[in-house]
Amino acid sequence: MRPSTSSPRPLSGLASLLGAPSGTSRAPLAAVSGVTIDSRQVRRGDLYVALPGAVSHGADFAAQALAAGAAAILTDPAGRRAAVATGLPVLVVPDPRAVLGQAAAWVYGRPADGMTVVGVTGTSGKTTTTFMLEAGLRAAGHTTGLVGGVEIRAGELRFTPRLTTPEASELQGLFALMREQGVTAAAMEVSSHALALGRVDEVFYDVALFTNLSQDHLDFHRDLDDYFSAKARLFTPGMSRVGVVNLDDAHGRELLGRAKIPMVSFSALGAPQAEWRALDVRLGSDGSAFRVVGPGGVEEDAAVALPGPFNVANALGAIVALVEAGVPLRAAVTGVGTLAGVPGRMERVPGADGFEAIVDYSHKPGAVESVLRSLREVTSGALTVVLGCGGDRDRGKRPMMGEAAARLADVAILTSDNPRSEDPLRILAEMMDGVLGVPEEERAHVIIEPDRAAAIGLAIGRAGSGDVVVVAGKGHEQGQYVGDRVLPFDDRQVVADAIAGRRSRTGRRSTDESREDAS
């Protein structure tokens, strides 16, 4: 995710910008044209940034970077000796990660400055909202870019991401590629990790959008307040021009009061104090329609092809952010309405006979609750959820997710997600702690099946007419992390296979019954 060509820039300019003393006298003579923190990704002319790591130091791989064509190295005092040993020009700073974005933006010529950039942060809804934003920007005539956990786009180019928000060096290279592809506007997810680790420090957002906040990532953040503070950092001068905030969320209301930039509020629940509201909301199993009402009495009819009230909130937030980015209201509404779906987000799997099968990425308490509440409104039969929790991640949300599944579904099949290094049965036991907190008379029928494929097959096999089955947690992911392996696993394909197997069995049964009748 880099431009095909990039003009070399003198290392002396970067040394001056960073106030970095050189580790060798050759530093002023070098020129660099790219940046990477991965010695395996070095291209000729790159600045290799050698960062300290938990197991090893990036400078330990300086020789590989030299062999691949690195032109210079940026590192810290601990990496100086190994870096200098290569004979390459070396710049030394106390904390190279802290200046990584600044260095990369300078090398690539601050590529994001030439385009409209809209950033989305929050616990749930980031991916769907960025897809809606990208659709709206494209409908308004922009050549668009998209940065998120499902897909990265640079004009017509498509990439599979490794992180929700790329490392600073990759992000600046990506923006340089977008510039090369003629991109004029981009929508991107901005994760709390990216904000806390400075990955987006050198990106200025024309509009920043806050969706909501619930417990997540407490394996990384100290507590919920620290998590919220990381999100709130996006809404500060120097990072964003204007903020758009969901007034229906308690943390959104708090953010509205503490932000240091101009803020615009919206409410999908029609709160009268919000500047933008969704009124006359009509929910359906195949999407929703609503009336957008804004400042000065402006109005426009809107529709979104994604079900659930939370997607009304996502759509309204995207529309307001587009208007703040300079897109006319009618064009914003039309563009958002063109989005047919988002991979792994309330994605219907076709072929189900008499019931609905849906795959969704919801893997945090608030998202699980929102999805189940939304599907309850369009379920005439029983609501079944297949749900697990990831290993080596925030353990505190496991009982909360188990409780939500048991309280809001008719059938909750608890299974494995990505157990990683943990015992799947231990994860399920922690989910059951939450299940047992639901009074028995109000509790779903709970089934424990650690094998995810078997759990999905069980849910599809027992579905009846009017039922809805939602397989939650992995969404678009195509692998399952078990131990140190990544096993091929796509919920959508497993659901499709289970539906096909069910239809095959049903067909054979019908044929056998017909033969018996004929005899």
Side-chain angles (χ1 to χ4, degrees):
M1 299 188 298
R2 294 209 230 170
S4 57
T5 59
S6 185
S7 300
R9 304 202 68 188
L11 192 63
S12 58
L14 180 60
S16 177
L17 177 70
L18 300 180
S22 64
T24 71
S25 60
R26 295 176 55 200
L29 305 178
V32 292
S33 53
V35 183
T36 184
I37 62 173
D38 189 338
S39 62
R40 298 165 297 183
Q41 301 296 324
V42 170
R43 295 182 185 177
R44 186 162 300 280
D46 273 358
L47 172 70
Y48 173 54
V49 183
L51 302 173
V55 177
S56 60
H57 197 290
D60 297 339
F61 305 96
Q64 290 94 313
L66 169 67
I73 298 174
L74 172 65
T75 191
D76 61 4
R80 180 184 182 281
R81 182 188 295 269
V84 169
T86 64
L88 289 173
V90 177
L91 298 182
V92 180
V93 295
D95 184 359
R97 179 174 287 282
V99 300
L100 179 59
Q102 188 178 13
W106 183 87
V107 169
Y108 289 115
R110 301 196 63 83
D113 289 357
M115 60 188 76
T116 298
V117 183
V118 182
V120 183
T121 198
T123 303
S124 302
K126 294 190 298 298
T127 297
T128 299
T129 303
T130 54
F131 270 76
M132 290 175 171
L133 285 166
E134 193 267 346
L137 291 167
R138 191 164 10 93
H142 284 284
T143 300
T144 56
L146 177 74
V147 185
V150 172
E151 187 175 55
I152 290 175
R153 302 176 185 172
E156 297 301 316
L157 302 179
R158 301 289 186 272
F159 304 93
T160 300
R162 294 187 304 106
L163 301 169
T164 300
T165 308
E167 288 283 2
S169 51
E170 293 181 356
L171 182 60
Q172 294 297 329
L174 172 59
F175 275 122
L177 174 61
M178 288 184 186
R179 179 178 60 192
E180 184 178 74
Q181 295 296 312
V183 168
T184 57
M188 70 175 290
E189 297 182 49
V190 185
S191 68
S192 61
H193 288 69
L195 288 158
L197 296 173
R199 294 178 192 162
V200 295
D201 280 1
E202 294 300 312
V203 181
F204 183 78
Y205 296 89
D206 294 273
V207 184
L209 170 60
F210 179 86
T211 60
N212 51 63
L213 192 125
S214 62
Q215 182 169 328
D216 198 17
H217 301 306
L218 297 193
D219 54 315
F220 177 80
H221 298 285
R222 289 190 308 274
D223 50 33
L224 195 63
D225 286 340
D226 184 57
Y227 177 43
F228 177 52
S229 294
K231 299 283 190 186
R233 186 168 175 265
L234 183 60
F235 300 84
T236 55
M239 291 210 72
S240 301
R241 177 181 60 84
V242 62
V244 173
V245 62
N246 180 6
L247 202 64
D248 299 328
D249 181 82
H251 287 91
R253 294 190 292 273
E254 182 179 348
L255 179 63
L256 190 64
R258 66 187 270 185
K260 304 300 183 184
I261 60 173
M263 300 291 284
V264 179
S265 62
F266 70 92
S267 169
L269 300 178
Q273 62 269 39
E275 293 164 89
W276 290 85
R277 292 167 289 151
L279 300 179
D280 190 24
V281 177
R282 300 173 297 284
L283 302 175
S285 61
D286 57 352
S288 304
F290 57 98
R291 185 78 169 163
V292 179
V293 178
V298 296
E299 295 188 14
E300 198 70 45
D301 286 324
V304 59
L306 298 169
F310 59 90
N311 276 317
V312 174
N314 291 336
L316 180 60
I319 289 166
V320 175
L322 287 165
V323 170
E324 290 297 324
V327 176
L329 176 59
R330 178 163 294 181
V333 166
T334 300
V336 168
T338 64
L339 183 66
V342 179
R345 270 61 176 179
M346 295 291 278
E347 183 175 353
R348 279 181 170 75
V349 180
D353 187 12
F355 67 96
E356 294 278 1
I358 295 171
V359 170
D360 190 72
Y361 189 54
S362 45
H363 61 285
K364 55 208 81 172
V368 171
E369 181 153 347
S370 293
V371 164
L372 292 178
R373 287 190 182 281
S374 296
L375 292 175
R376 172 64 69 195
E377 296 188 29
V378 295
T379 302
S380 60
L383 175 59
T384 297
V385 61
V386 179
L387 180 69
C389 291
D392 300 335
R393 296 295 186 268
D394 181 2
R395 293 176 59 187
K397 67 183 184 181
R398 295 172 186 172
M400 299 169 68
M401 291 171 64
E403 187 272 342
R407 176 169 47 88
L408 297 171
D410 297 303
V411 180
I413 303 178
L414 305 186
T415 188
S416 292
D417 190 301
N418 293 315
R420 298 183 175 87
S421 70
E422 288 195 63
D423 180 353
L425 295 181
R426 172 183 167 180
I427 297 173
L428 287 167
E430 292 181 354
M431 293 182 72
M432 281 300 298
D433 287 342
V435 169
L436 296 175
V438 180
E440 188 172 358
E441 64 275 12
E442 300 173 13
R443 188 188 305 160
H445 176 53
V446 178
I447 301 170
I448 297 178
E449 172 49 75
D451 184 294
R452 191 173 182 87
I456 291 171
L458 178 61
I460 297 299
R462 61 182 291 143
S465 178
D467 289 359
V468 173
V469 175
V470 56
V471 179
K474 291 176 61 60
H476 65 284
E477 294 178 357
Q478 297 184 22
Q480 186 176 30
Y481 292 78
V482 181
D484 58 358
R485 298 178 298 162
V486 182
L487 307 178
F489 201 102
D490 185 333
D491 278 355
R492 297 165 295 183
Q493 187 59 54
V494 176
V495 170
D497 290 344
I499 291 172
R502 170 190 164 115
R503 295 185 66 158
S504 176
R505 291 189 298 274
T506 302
R508 285 198 300 272
R509 191 179 309 117
S510 298
T511 300
D512 292 342
E513 290 170 354
S514 297
R515 287 171 179 165
E516 290 174 8
D517 290 342
S519 64

